[in-house]
Amino acid sequence: MSAGWFRRRFLPRDPLPAPRPSGPHSSPVPYRRPRFLRGSSPGAADASRRPDARPVRSPARGHALPWNAGYAEVINAEKSEFNEDQAACGKLCIRRCEFGLEEDKEWLTVCPEEFLTGHYWALFDGHGGPAAAILAANTLHSCLRRQLEAVVEGVVAAQPPMHLSGCCVCPSDPQFVEEKGIRAEDLVIGALESAFQECDDVIGRELEASGQAGGCTALVAVALQGKLYVANAGDSRAILVRRDEIRPLSSEFTPETERQRIQQLAFVYPELLAGEFTRLEFPRRLKGDDLGQKVLFRDHHMSGWSYKWVEKSDLKYPLIHGQGRQARLLGTLAVSRGLGDHQLRVLDTNIQLKPFLLSIPQVTVLDVDQLALQEEDVVVMATDGLWDVLSNEQVARLVRSFLPGNRGDPHRFSELAKMLISNTQGKEDGATEEQVSYDDVSVFVIPLHSQGQGGSDH
Amino acid sequence: MSAGWFRRRFLPRDPLPAPRPSGPHSSPVPYRRPRFLRGSSPGAADASRRPDARPVRSPARGHALPWNAGYAEVINAEKSEFNEDQAACGKLCIRRCEFGLEEDKEWLTVCPEEFLTGHYWALFDGHGGPAAAILAANTLHSCLRRQLEAVVEGVVAAQPPMHLSGCCVCPSDPQFVEEKGIRAEDLVIGALESAFQECDDVIGRELEASGQAGGCTALVAVALQGKLYVANAGDSRAILVRRDEIRPLSSEFTPETERQRIQQLAFVYPELLAGEFTRLEFPRRLKGDDLGQKVLFRDHHMSGWSYKWVEKSDLKYPLIHGQGRQARLLGTLAVSRGLGDHQLRVLDTNIQLKPFLLSIPQVTVLDVDQLALQEEDVVVMATDGLWDVLSNEQVARLVRSFLPGNRGDPHRFSELAKMLISNTQGKEDGATEEQVSYDDVSVFVIPLHSQGQGGSDH
């Protein structure tokens, strides 16, 4: 993406053009559940739960996921026709690209045998239809494999070489790389960043071709060379739970957490708001009675708050509006990063959401080899439906109370995932103060101790 | 500042205009040392130091600074004619603005008596001449006082009111403010942010009027209502040193730490580079031999690294070049936030630095009242000359070894500041591995335990 591209794409001359007329469409993306659920039946609802509880699904017994990870999901309470969450996992087989001779620099061979293997778990939380999340589940791992294959020589080197070909143009090149602190893991982070962007492009093309719409968040864990990389774009979450430690492995990207980035873009390109929204943040939407008063506000450059005299333009609908779970970007979207949404517009306008959305994930690295692992150390990844109802501490408590009593069960991590979900569904007695999730919920539980043991490849 | 202003100021049509012809100038900003050094003589150089050691200055004995803080400074080793660091401290007297009646909303009185008092310590590290740092030392506290006076009714309230007048337009206004989590300290943070901007504008006007140039970093500590606010724009640093704890109270803003923000701006406004620089980061500057190779690079959206085929445009000088202390923005400047530099251009070009610089500080809040203070808890603030040579841990070790033995000396915090500086000047025996600072160095040591005791007002 170049700045010129950004301007052509998002800053056309007045008046704003209508969405492109849609030509003949290819067939729509078919709805499906994750492949690894094949052969499983929607589980019976937990007897201790309410009679109308929705059934929680998990992989069939005997069908092991990579690292013997557990998985479970539940569909939302009729918020949408389909479960808009999707999941994927499997083995990542990275082949080696071999460079040709000096005179054929652009020629390379992909060796057929795998050169480096890793594992991959991913959750996608769709909105505006299930299509984007399905495409992401079908595509992102291939994008990642391709991006990793493009740099794998650097990933396996003790230190990434300045030149991928390995030839040394300047004798002190290794020292330059060393001084910048560039390590193999930075190439994996770079590959994850590029893979999310590539996948976003694919989704944009495919949705346009099929005349469908929608977007999704993406939370991905990749195990490679003794490290676990967690890449997140959206409001799903991953945490590490150990006996004495709870460590967040991701942070959420919402209109609230990315307020300054979003306001900054509206400051630089005010035409993106088409005169319909105000960039400024106020404690609530202003109205006529506030005119001429000095009220609390924040602009893009401010972490703190100040007061300003209210003018008429401050009465417009706010670029970011609402609190916490209710916060919306342009009155429309609850997340600020993710994949898709290429055609999304504010209702009854031509104002686009996409320029404000980032497809780039934030990547954190867990050095699993350095952890002194204990048997019940797990990573819990889940869509926001879980975290809206359970805190990190509550999840950790449930994990720690469940695992020690279930050591003998090879299916225990899926049982744990099911148990976590059933704790979001409310009890039959409608216990007081208990929060209930009416959203789609999907959970992976990845045991770190048993890494590499068991788990068929997908 | 509006986007329109930014465009008019920094994005003129091709060709770029020359700097405005300078008219008749007002008299230049006179050079001076901090007012609180009056009556002090440049101290004799430490006998254990090298014979050519530069003398370290501190306030005259008997002349106490707010909170009995200590201060010391040393000029650089003939890098520039003047000491380009400046310092200021004193009492902040904030008066109350009273609102008129409902029908005269714009009428307000400033009550002559002070309403709220605080204390203020500030360090400014100048570059390109001493003028900007002197102006900042003369001005910033007045800007801050003005900004605090504009919101003081909110600062002293249990919760800042939605409307500064205190009238309640909507009955649930306090609830909206509560839900946003807006506290009195957010207004102080906002006032610090606005004060830095206002001071930057003043410096721009004054330097233009006097035909001078230059810029400076700014590190400010403000004690107000039991909290210590540390606002930083540049590469100075403040840390809290306690018996069992070292806590950073600021982080540095340099072309390296703000790489993504700076690259992002060059991506949005490529005209700012006038075709002379490349936005991309490489481990070293590329040359002809790298053409057609695949080399390590990073762009604005990347935390990780990847490889790209080298094209001719990649051989341009990098927007950010060099490592660590040597890193430079547009080959010119070692900091990415600060005050001034309105006229600064890349040598022999019309390429401006100012669009890439932020005058907004990052503000951290230390809740002093919650600290369970011990007698030797201090905040150490210093310009980069100190931190280039001593780590946080080394400074903490020196603080902890000095203070217990010097409890009886009322001047001990200045003696400590002098001792810290003399540890940057090299020993007479030229001890091995010892690093020496040839830069200006200025240090405040602020004792937290004795707050409010002693210390004449300035």
Side-chain angles (χ1 to χ4, degrees):
Chain A
M1 176 163 105
S2 74
W5 176 89
F6 185 92
R7 287 173 189 185
R8 280 192 304 278
R9 170 87 172 78
F10 294 120
L11 301 175
R13 303 279 156 213
D14 212 9
L16 286 164
R20 280 192 242 172
S22 46
H25 290 139
S26 60
S27 53
V29 181
Y31 179 73
R32 66 167 185 81
R33 297 312 308 146
R35 225 164 288 156
F36 56 75
L37 286 181
R38 276 182 207 157
S40 76
S41 55
D46 184 336
S48 73
R49 301 285 147 181
R50 296 189 316 210
D52 61 341
R54 289 157 276 141
V56 179
R57 270 187 91 171
S58 67
R61 281 193 167 263
H63 186 131
L65 304 186
W67 286 18
N68 196 30
Y71 174 82
E73 64 171 47
V74 71
I75 192 173
N76 65 76
E78 295 176 12
K79 199 180 69 167
S80 61
E81 184 184 353
F82 297 109
N83 185 339
E84 293 186 339
D85 281 3
Q86 289 292 340
C89 66
K91 192 169 166 183
L92 270 180
C93 299
I94 299 143
R95 296 163 302 177
R96 183 181 207 155
C97 302
E98 287 211 340
F99 276 80
L101 301 172
E102 183 70 9
E103 52 270 37
D104 311 297
K105 274 178 199 140
E106 297 199 20
W107 171 86
L108 33 87
T109 329
V110 176
C111 301
E113 330 83 68
E114 62 200 41
F115 176 63
L116 186 66
T117 60
H119 291 90
Y120 169 93
W121 302 262
L123 293 176
F124 306 96
D125 182 349
H127 53 255
I134 294 169
L135 286 168
N138 292 349
T139 311
L140 183 55
H141 58 281
S142 309
C143 301
L144 180 58
R145 186 173 50 75
R146 214 170 7 252
Q147 294 292 344
L148 283 169
E149 280 174 356
V151 300
V152 71
E153 302 286 342
V155 172
V156 297
Q159 183 190 60
M162 169 89 184
H163 299 88
L164 194 56
S165 64
C167 81
C168 206
V169 169
C170 166
S172 47
D173 277 350
Q175 198 184 324
F176 284 110
V177 174
E178 170 95 39
E179 279 173 9
K180 285 266 182 196
I182 307 171
R183 298 146 306 170
E185 70 180 63
D186 294 308
L187 294 181
V188 180
I189 295 170
L192 277 159
E193 291 170 334
S194 303
F196 272 60
Q197 276 195 294
E198 186 189 334
C199 184
D200 186 52
D201 292 342
V202 171
I203 290 172
R205 283 196 304 271
E206 299 265 326
L207 288 184
E208 189 174 7
S210 65
Q212 289 176 287
C216 67
T217 70
L219 172 65
V220 171
V222 174
L224 197 68
Q225 296 186 296
K227 297 201 164 107
L228 190 77
Y229 297 82
V230 177
N232 185 43
D235 61 356
S236 295
R237 184 187 298 172
I239 64 172
L240 169 69
V241 178
R242 313 184 70 195
R243 194 183 299 160
D244 309 308
E245 186 189 6
I246 303 170
R247 194 189 305 181
L249 299 177
S250 65
S251 51
E252 286 96 67
F253 297 98
T254 69
E256 271 189 320
T257 64
E258 295 209 278
R259 172 186 63 84
Q260 287 192 272
R261 176 181 72 73
I262 292 164
Q263 286 184 317
Q264 169 74 16
L265 191 70
F267 165 75
V268 172
Y269 295 122
E271 40 295 44
L272 293 174
L273 303 184
E276 300 282 337
F277 289 84
T278 170
R279 176 183 84 228
L280 301 182
E281 182 185 14
F282 302 99
R284 61 162 165 77
R285 183 167 181 191
L286 300 185
K287 44 191 185 177
D289 292 352
D290 296 305
L291 272 172
Q293 296 264 349
K294 241 181 153 174
V295 306
L296 283 166
F297 88 106
R298 282 208 281 203
D299 201 355
H300 66 97
H301 59 278
M302 299 164 72
S303 295
W305 286 79
S306 193
Y307 287 92
K308 82 178 290 281
W309 296 109
V310 178
E311 300 159 64
K312 218 169 154 201
S313 63
D314 299 324
L315 307 189
K316 291 176 182 172
Y317 198 84
L319 170 58
I320 300 168
H321 190 50
Q323 282 309 115
R325 294 283 307 145
Q326 264 60 54
R328 291 288 178 278
L329 174 60
L330 291 164
T332 305
L333 204 59
V335 288
S336 58
R337 295 203 190 187
L339 309 173
D341 289 319
H342 293 72
Q343 300 296 332
L344 184 60
R345 282 165 159 78
V346 177
L347 194 67
D348 294 333
T349 76
N350 267 329
I351 300 170
Q352 298 174 80
L353 276 288
K354 191 65 175 170
F356 294 97
L357 305 178
L358 277 189
S359 59
I360 307 291
Q362 190 188 55
V363 184
T364 58
V365 185
L366 181 68
D367 198 338
V368 179
D369 279 354
Q370 300 299 313
L371 269 187
L373 286 172
Q374 296 164 318
E375 195 173 339
E376 265 120 30
D377 293 348
V378 297
V379 169
V380 178
M381 292 168 62
T383 50
D384 65 330
L386 184 82
W387 307 108
D388 288 345
V389 175
L390 297 176
S391 68
N392 293 2
E393 291 68 28
Q394 286 172 310
V395 167
R397 217 173 301 135
L398 291 165
V399 167
R400 290 170 187 151
S401 70
F402 180 89
L403 285 178
N406 291 274
R407 288 208 179 127
D409 181 0
H411 203 66
R412 67 190 178 285
F413 298 106
S414 282
E415 293 299 326
L416 171 54
K418 280 161 75 174
M419 187 270 274
L420 290 175
I421 289 182
S422 81
N423 269 278
T424 68
Q425 302 296 299
K427 292 220 179 63
E428 192 177 9
D429 57 7
T432 49
E433 312 258 346
E434 196 188 39
Q435 276 205 293
V436 178
S437 178
Y438 299 102
D439 199 358
D440 304 311
V441 189
S442 309
V443 178
F444 272 118
V445 178
I446 307 172
L448 298 180
H449 191 256
S450 61
Q451 48 172 298
Q453 299 162 22
S456 64
D457 301 332
H458 298 266
Chain B
M1 174 165 106
S2 75
W5 176 88
F6 185 92
R7 288 173 188 186
R8 280 193 304 278
R9 169 87 172 77
F10 294 120
L11 301 175
R13 303 278 156 211
D14 213 10
L16 286 163
R20 280 192 241 171
S22 47
H25 289 140
S26 60
S27 53
V29 181
Y31 177 72
R32 66 168 184 79
R33 297 313 307 149
R35 226 164 286 159
F36 56 74
L37 286 180
R38 275 182 207 160
S40 76
S41 55
D46 184 334
S48 73
R49 301 285 146 181
R50 299 188 315 210
D52 62 341
R54 289 157 276 142
V56 179
R57 270 187 90 173
S58 67
R61 281 193 167 262
H63 185 131
L65 305 185
W67 286 17
N68 197 32
Y71 174 82
E73 64 170 48
V74 71
I75 191 172
N76 65 76
E78 297 177 10
K79 198 180 70 170
S80 60
E81 185 185 353
F82 297 110
N83 185 338
E84 292 185 341
D85 282 2
Q86 289 292 340
C89 65
K91 193 169 167 183
L92 269 180
C93 299
I94 299 142
R95 296 163 303 175
R96 182 181 207 155
C97 304
E98 287 210 338
F99 276 80
L101 300 171
E102 181 68 9
E103 52 269 36
D104 311 298
K105 273 180 202 142
E106 298 199 21
W107 170 84
L108 33 85
T109 330
V110 176
C111 303
E113 330 83 68
E114 60 200 42
F115 175 64
L116 186 66
T117 61
H119 291 91
Y120 169 92
W121 301 263
L123 293 175
F124 307 97
D125 182 350
H127 52 254
I134 294 169
L135 286 167
N138 292 348
T139 311
L140 183 55
H141 58 280
S142 310
C143 300
L144 180 59
R145 185 172 51 74
R146 215 172 4 255
Q147 295 292 344
L148 284 169
E149 281 174 355
V151 300
V152 70
E153 303 286 343
V155 171
V156 297
Q159 183 191 59
M162 169 88 182
H163 299 88
L164 194 56
S165 64
C167 81
C168 206
V169 168
C170 166
S172 47
D173 278 349
Q175 199 184 322
F176 283 110
V177 174
E178 170 96 37
E179 279 173 8
K180 284 264 180 197
I182 307 171
R183 299 146 306 168
E185 70 181 62
D186 294 307
L187 295 181
V188 180
I189 296 170
L192 277 159
E193 292 170 333
S194 303
F196 272 60
Q197 277 195 294
E198 186 189 334
C199 184
D200 186 51
D201 291 342
V202 170
I203 291 172
R205 283 196 303 272
E206 299 265 326
L207 288 184
E208 188 174 9
S210 65
Q212 288 174 287
C216 67
T217 69
L219 172 64
V220 171
V222 173
L224 197 69
Q225 296 185 298
K227 296 198 167 114
L228 190 77
Y229 298 83
V230 177
N232 186 42
D235 61 356
S236 295
R237 185 187 298 172
I239 63 171
L240 169 68
V241 178
R242 312 184 71 195
R243 195 183 300 161
D244 309 308
E245 185 190 7
I246 302 170
R247 194 189 306 181
L249 299 177
S250 65
S251 52
E252 285 95 69
F253 297 99
T254 68
E256 273 188 320
T257 64
E258 296 209 278
R259 172 186 64 84
Q260 286 191 274
R261 175 180 71 73
I262 291 165
Q263 284 184 318
Q264 168 75 14
L265 190 70
F267 165 74
V268 171
Y269 295 123
E271 45 287 48
L272 292 174
L273 304 183
E276 299 283 338
F277 289 85
T278 169
R279 177 183 83 228
L280 302 182
E281 183 186 16
F282 303 98
R284 61 163 165 77
R285 183 168 180 190
L286 301 185
K287 45 191 185 179
D289 291 353
D290 296 305
L291 272 171
Q293 295 264 349
K294 240 180 156 176
V295 306
L296 284 166
F297 88 106
R298 281 206 283 203
D299 201 355
H300 66 97
H301 59 277
M302 300 165 70
S303 294
W305 286 80
S306 192
Y307 287 92
K308 83 179 288 284
W309 295 111
V310 178
E311 301 159 63
K312 219 170 153 200
S313 64
D314 299 324
L315 307 189
K316 291 178 183 173
Y317 199 85
L319 170 58
I320 299 168
H321 189 50
Q323 281 310 112
R325 295 284 306 145
Q326 265 60 54
R328 291 289 178 278
L329 173 62
L330 291 163
T332 305
L333 205 57
V335 288
S336 58
R337 295 204 191 186
L339 309 173
D341 289 318
H342 293 72
Q343 299 296 331
L344 185 60
R345 283 165 158 80
V346 176
L347 195 66
D348 293 333
T349 76
N350 267 329
I351 300 170
Q352 299 174 82
L353 276 288
K354 190 66 175 170
F356 294 98
L357 305 178
L358 276 190
S359 59
I360 307 289
Q362 189 188 55
V363 184
T364 58
V365 185
L366 181 69
D367 200 337
V368 179
D369 279 355
Q370 301 299 314
L371 269 186
L373 286 173
Q374 295 163 318
E375 193 172 338
E376 265 120 30
D377 292 348
V378 297
V379 169
V380 178
M381 294 168 62
T383 50
D384 66 329
L386 185 83
W387 308 107
D388 287 345
V389 174
L390 298 175
S391 67
N392 293 2
E393 290 67 29
Q394 287 172 308
V395 166
R397 217 174 300 136
L398 291 167
V399 167
R400 289 170 187 152
S401 69
F402 180 88
L403 285 179
N406 290 274
R407 285 204 181 131
D409 181 2
H411 201 66
R412 67 189 177 284
F413 298 107
S414 283
E415 292 299 326
L416 170 54
K418 279 160 76 172
M419 188 269 273
L420 291 174
I421 290 182
S422 82
N423 269 279
T424 68
Q425 301 295 297
K427 292 219 179 64
E428 192 179 7
D429 58 7
T432 49
E433 311 255 348
E434 195 187 41
Q435 275 205 294
V436 178
S437 177
Y438 299 102
D439 199 359
D440 303 311
V441 189
S442 310
V443 179
F444 273 118
V445 178
I446 306 172
L448 298 180
H449 190 257
S450 63
Q451 49 172 298
Q453 298 163 24
S456 63
D457 300 330
H458 297 263

